[in-house]
Amino acid sequence: MSINPFTPEHDAYRNGLRHFIDQEIRPHLSEWRAAGHPPPIKQILRQLGETGYLSTTFPERFGGAALDYWYNVILHEELARLPNGAIGMSVASHLDIATSLVAKYARQELAADWVPSAIQGKSLLALALTEENAGSDLSNIQTTAVQEGDGYILQGRKTFISNGVSADAYCVLAQTANKQGDPAPTLFFVPKSSPGVAVVRNLPTLGNRGDIAEIEFDRVKIAQQQVIGGLGFGLFIQMKQFFQERTIIAIRMAAMARYHVDLTIEHSKKRRTFGKPLSSNQHVQFTLAQLITEIESVKQFSYGCIRKMSTPNENMADAAMAKYAGGKLVRKVADQCLQLFGGEGYLDDHPISLFFRDARALSLAGGTDEMMLNMIARVEC
């Protein structure tokens, strides 16, 4: 049975946000695609920040509204309705991943300097974890932070970094040594303006054509104040953050899938074959009904993860299940909706074609399907 967690206040917020997106972002998507460059994420964040859509769930000490997390769920569900997955991915990477990390774990002075501007859309943050030979296996990262005097020297290269080109600062995971001299990953806050930080290149991708970059850190000096969450606690902190990140990805996938199924339903009612609407075909009806049922299952399971967030019931396997199920489903929905649109859906700039390309990334970002199964097996088996 579906359980609606949203109040009339939530619904009013959603209606206002949807109107804002439809007026301020959606009309420009074709123009940005035609220009051949990623959506201007800094401009979009400024617009969202100025209207308060980024600050709803952050504490008042940062200038936030301290509202419940369902407001953030609404933000991601509404952005998921855009035929451009890169925008939602960039906002999630900035807000729920990097800014949330700084707000929770950075030293008070650093958080006070950066979080207010981040939730106002005035600065853009990115999380730099992935390396060429270390994706979900974060214990195997090769980037190092070697102690020198009262601080550290950061050396290494990160790749597939969302918001990497445009970011004003990065949360970087690097290997440090614990008291016994053993490797102990630590998170560091690194402003982009620091000497030795360089954007190597923006990475062209199949879908989600946004700001995804390779970043080099060449003997970057790091002060003790830039350590996030304590020396050697980087892996522990990031594993906790994965629950939120993967749940939000699953939320986005369910919303993307439902929006495009709704487009397909509308199309099937207008498209006529053999003198009848396509929607009158029982096979079409059953295909769409099955997709709607599976989408609702993923959405409700993901809502259950939101309810568990930051409680003793938070379970990494739950978030992994939501993301794994959502990743498989969103690809299935994209394929079957494109099939029902026929040749029209195969056109390069058609919303279903764009969705088909964007959907593929969601079984990779935040951990592959195989890593999700590995996590589920370790907990449940």
Side-chain angles (χ1 to χ4, degrees):
M1 181 180 68
S2 299
I3 300 175
N4 181 11
F6 302 113
T7 64
E9 290 76 16
H10 288 128
D11 294 338
Y13 174 83
R14 186 189 294 276
N15 291 337
L17 175 58
R18 182 173 295 187
H19 177 76
F20 174 83
I21 291 172
D22 288 344
Q23 293 296 313
E24 302 297 331
I25 300 177
R26 190 181 296 276
H28 304 290
L29 295 178
S30 296
E31 171 192 339
W32 294 334
R33 278 196 297 271
H37 55 66
I41 188 59
K42 280 195 164 183
Q43 173 187 323
I44 293 168
L45 282 175
R46 278 196 300 271
Q47 291 175 295
L48 290 170
E50 287 170 358
T51 47
Y53 290 122
L54 299 180
S55 59
T56 53
T57 64
F58 283 82
E60 293 178 354
R61 68 179 182 275
F62 297 128
L67 299 174
D68 63 69
Y69 197 76
W70 293 108
Y71 285 91
N72 224 37
V73 170
I74 293 169
L75 172 64
H76 293 297
E77 288 184 334
E78 291 306 306
L79 289 173
R81 299 175 71 252
L82 289 169
N84 186 310
I87 295 174
M89 181 176 286
S90 285
V91 173
S93 297
H94 165 72
L95 196 65
D96 295 85
I97 299 174
T99 304
S100 173
L101 183 69
V102 174
K104 290 178 184 176
Y105 298 107
R107 299 193 181 198
Q108 289 185 4
E109 298 83 0
L110 192 153
D113 285 343
W114 283 89
V115 174
S117 65
I119 63 177
Q120 291 167 20
K122 295 179 179 178
S123 60
L124 175 59
L125 305 186
L127 180 65
L129 301 180
T130 304
E131 298 178 7
E132 184 178 357
N133 294 308
S136 298
D137 181 16
L138 295 178
S139 61
N140 195 41
I141 58 170
Q142 301 302 302
T143 297
T144 59
V146 178
Q147 190 160 9
E148 185 174 286
D150 293 335
Y152 301 86
I153 300 296
L154 181 67
Q155 185 72 42
R157 184 173 288 205
K158 299 291 185 176
T159 191
F160 297 117
I161 307 307
S162 294
N163 301 329
V165 174
S166 306
D168 297 297
Y170 307 95
C171 299
V172 183
L173 188 67
Q175 293 285 13
T176 54
N178 61 20
K179 293 180 180 179
Q180 291 74 38
D182 298 322
T186 299
L187 282 160
F188 296 91
F189 188 85
V190 185
K192 187 180 185 178
S193 59
S194 304
V197 178
V199 176
V200 178
R201 58 178 178 144
N202 189 59
L203 299 170
T205 55
L206 171 68
N208 283 290
R209 294 173 182 170
D211 182 344
I212 303 175
E214 187 174 336
I215 314 293
E216 185 171 32
F217 303 93
D218 184 16
R219 293 193 57 78
V220 180
K221 293 183 179 180
I222 306 292
Q224 287 287 348
Q225 291 80 5
Q226 292 168 253
V227 174
I228 299 175
L231 193 68
F233 281 90
L235 204 56
F236 172 78
I237 291 170
Q238 191 51 48
M239 293 307 292
K240 288 185 68 65
Q241 286 294 103
F242 273 147
F243 184 91
Q244 180 175 338
E245 176 183 355
R246 289 166 179 168
T247 299
I248 283 298
I249 292 173
I251 293 283
R252 289 182 58 231
M253 288 191 285
M256 288 173 70
R258 183 57 203 247
Y259 175 72
H260 289 91
V261 164
D262 287 343
L263 288 183
T264 308
I265 292 172
E266 183 179 347
H267 167 78
S268 72
K269 291 178 179 179
K270 296 177 181 177
R271 178 79 165 91
R272 298 184 70 83
T273 58
F274 301 103
K276 296 180 180 179
L278 187 64
S279 60
S280 66
N281 184 293
Q282 190 179 64
H283 173 74
V284 172
Q285 294 173 1
F286 284 5
T287 296
L288 293 169
Q290 181 181 4
L291 293 179
I292 289 169
T293 302
E294 294 178 20
I295 291 167
E296 189 66 21
S297 297
V298 170
K299 183 178 79 170
Q300 292 299 329
F301 189 88
S302 301
Y303 282 1
C305 290
I306 295 293
R307 294 185 183 93
K308 292 181 180 181
M309 191 179 293
S310 301
T311 75
N313 295 322
E314 185 176 291
N315 181 344
M316 280 298 300
D318 287 344
M321 290 177 195
K323 186 181 180 303
Y324 172 73
K328 288 179 70 67
L329 176 60
V330 79
R331 301 202 307 271
K332 176 181 177 180
V333 170
D335 182 69
Q336 294 194 4
C337 287
L338 193 153
Q339 188 70 26
L340 290 175
F341 264 91
E344 178 186 343
Y346 196 64
L347 295 174
D348 184 67
D349 207 35
H350 194 278
I352 294 295
S353 174
L354 297 169
F355 171 49
F356 186 88
R357 282 174 276 173
D358 288 346
R360 191 60 189 86
L362 297 172
S363 287
L364 305 174
T368 64
D369 285 355
E370 292 74 20
M371 290 305 301
M372 297 305 98
L373 291 173
N374 183 271
M375 170 65 68
I376 296 164
R378 288 209 311 266
V379 174
E380 300 292 339
C381 303

